[in-house]
Amino acid sequence: MSNKTLRTVHELLKHNFITEQEVLSLDKLSQTYAIAISPEMVNLIQTTDDPIGLQYIPHPEEAITHPDELNDPIADEALSPIPGIVHRYEDRVLLKPLLICPVYCRFCFRREQVGPDNGLLSDQQLENALQWIENHPQIQEVILSGGDPFILSPRRMKHIIETLNQISHVTTIRIHTRVPFSAPSKMTAEFIDSLESDKALWVVVHANHPKEFTSAAYQAIKTLVKAGIPLLSQSVLLKNINDDVETLESLLRHFVEWRIKPYYLHQLDKAPGTARFYVPIDKGRQLLSALRGRVTGLAWPTYVLDIPGGHGKVPLGPDYFNPQTPHSVLDPNHKIRQI
């Protein structure tokens, strides 16, 4: 059993997660894309190509950039007026108080941005970002992302929440995190208390495979539920991890059973070196179509693509209506039904 986060290729080698032949290439790769596998995830990995190992163990193919892959696939940088702020939609804004995570996903679209060297916003940068939000009255929702906001200190998180509470035009706070699943031991009672807000505060948790639903993760989620915080989920459709009907069904059912409403199933953002995870959109739509009728509507996520270039998300879900035959629809088995 591991009790430490793995951060170097030599630590990965000691755990037999990589081979001697891969050390040199992966050491070079780690200078660009950070490595971190939390103890909880280390202990879940049974083989390097199992659904947990694939998500976190670096691979030499990450050094290969395909022509359709972009360094900033959703144009975060182009839409960032000041450090810590991304303003893509008029009524909401992304606040990134840090670019550090307890684990680094090998498919992440911010892989070249996140890592221990990027750290926190300075105190002044954070105040500037919060002031920027206050100065833009059209903003109603603030989304804390990063990095992972759940590894902020309770003091810093409490300061952010309390400041947003004082901004009258902000009505909703949303926090995106992997911590409850990937590093549940980091969720202390003091941190939960720091989330207290007068605004509508939602937490969006990220998990991609049923194996991530451990007893420790359950206790972490339970603390959020007991605090009265509504929970949503987001997952990424990933090749050889969750791109089959049975796995997706189990994943979505687990969310609902844990009082987490499935929210987004993301089409992979094409960041450099992520081609090994790519699932074609047609297959994604077929998977969603196959799930219709197999799972309750409570478990149904919106399958979305973030259009490259910063144009926002669009739904990709299966279409059951054909305008050429306006008096009929397709049922989940693609049979025509009259309406």
Side-chain angles (χ1 to χ4, degrees):
M1 298 289 286
S2 175
N3 60 3
K4 64 172 290 187
T5 295
L6 306 186
R7 299 188 183 278
T8 71
V9 295
H10 295 288
E11 290 172 334
L12 297 178
L13 183 63
K14 288 180 181 178
H15 280 74
N16 296 315
F17 287 165
I18 63 173
T19 65
E20 289 275 5
Q21 292 73 29
E22 293 173 325
V23 169
L24 189 61
S25 63
L26 292 180
D27 193 46
K28 182 179 180 181
L29 185 74
S30 70
Q31 307 307 309
T32 303
Y33 303 130
I35 298 170
I37 311 178
S38 66
E40 292 93 337
M41 294 299 99
V42 170
N43 294 327
L44 275 186
I45 296 171
Q46 296 179 325
T47 65
T48 57
D49 59 355
D50 71 17
I52 308 301
L54 284 173
Q55 292 186 60
Y56 298 119
I57 300 171
H59 191 282
E61 288 183 15
E62 292 177 39
I64 303 170
T65 300
H66 290 245
D68 57 347
E69 295 176 341
L70 303 171
N71 284 327
D72 185 16
I74 64 171
D76 272 359
E77 293 180 20
L79 297 167
S80 180
I82 62 171
I85 292 289
V86 178
H87 196 196
R88 178 172 289 104
Y89 304 102
E90 182 177 1
D91 72 330
R92 75 213 83 144
V93 71
L94 208 64
L95 172 61
K96 298 191 293 184
L98 79 172
L99 288 170
I100 306 171
C101 301
V103 290
Y104 292 114
C105 306
R106 311 319 301 177
F107 52 85
C108 178
F109 63 89
R110 293 191 183 123
R111 286 193 310 147
E112 80 289 348
Q113 299 178 22
V114 296
D117 294 337
N118 290 301
L120 297 163
L121 291 181
S122 69
D123 288 346
Q124 189 57 58
Q125 287 174 324
L126 179 59
E127 295 312 308
N128 291 345
L130 292 167
Q131 186 64 53
W132 194 92
I133 293 169
E134 185 171 6
N135 292 341
H136 289 76
Q138 73 271 32
I139 294 172
Q140 298 182 38
E141 181 177 7
V142 177
I143 304 162
L144 272 67
S145 185
D148 198 313
F150 264 42
I151 62 170
L152 289 169
S153 69
R155 178 195 60 80
R156 200 169 183 86
M157 177 61 84
K158 183 176 182 179
H159 171 67
I160 292 170
I161 300 297
E162 288 183 344
T163 303
L164 295 174
N165 279 343
Q166 300 305 313
I167 301 176
S168 60
H169 56 83
V170 172
T171 63
T172 307
I173 302 169
R174 194 188 338 159
I175 308 175
H176 288 199
T177 180
R178 279 210 90 163
V179 164
F181 287 98
S182 66
S185 59
K186 294 186 178 296
M187 287 181 55
T188 64
E190 185 182 7
F191 182 82
I192 298 298
D193 289 343
S194 76
L195 301 176
E196 176 65 30
S197 176
D198 298 329
K199 310 289 185 178
L201 187 144
W202 298 70
V203 169
V204 183
V205 294
H206 179 172
N208 296 314
H209 193 275
K211 286 186 177 180
E212 296 173 61
F213 288 72
T214 64
S215 58
Y218 178 76
Q219 292 304 318
I221 292 296
K222 189 176 178 180
T223 62
L224 294 169
V225 172
K226 289 181 70 175
I229 297 172
L231 302 177
L232 302 171
S233 80
Q234 60 177 348
S235 305
V236 184
L237 186 60
L238 300 166
K239 184 177 180 180
N240 295 325
I241 294 173
N242 58 19
D243 64 332
D244 63 89
V245 174
E246 291 75 17
T247 301
L248 269 184
E249 178 180 353
S250 179
L251 175 65
L252 297 171
R253 288 187 183 278
H254 274 78
F255 280 133
V256 172
E257 290 167 8
W258 283 20
R259 303 187 193 182
I260 303 166
K261 171 69 180 78
Y263 178 40
Y264 277 149
L265 176 64
H266 292 274
Q267 177 68 12
L268 180 74
D269 294 307
K270 291 186 176 182
T274 60
R276 66 195 177 106
F277 295 107
Y278 181 73
V279 178
I281 290 174
D282 281 350
K283 181 173 182 180
R285 297 183 74 183
Q286 290 168 11
L287 288 169
L288 265 290
S289 180
L291 284 171
R292 178 64 73 184
R294 287 179 63 137
V295 296
T296 168
L298 284 173
W300 191 258
T302 301
Y303 179 34
V304 293
L305 168 70
D306 224 321
I307 302 174
H311 301 288
K313 295 181 181 68
V314 290
L316 298 173
D319 189 356
Y320 297 97
F321 178 73
N322 184 347
Q324 303 303 316
T325 57
H327 299 294
S328 65
V329 295
L330 293 177
D331 70 15
N333 297 314
H334 297 282
K335 295 180 179 179
I336 295 176
R337 304 294 185 189
Q338 296 299 312
I339 56 174

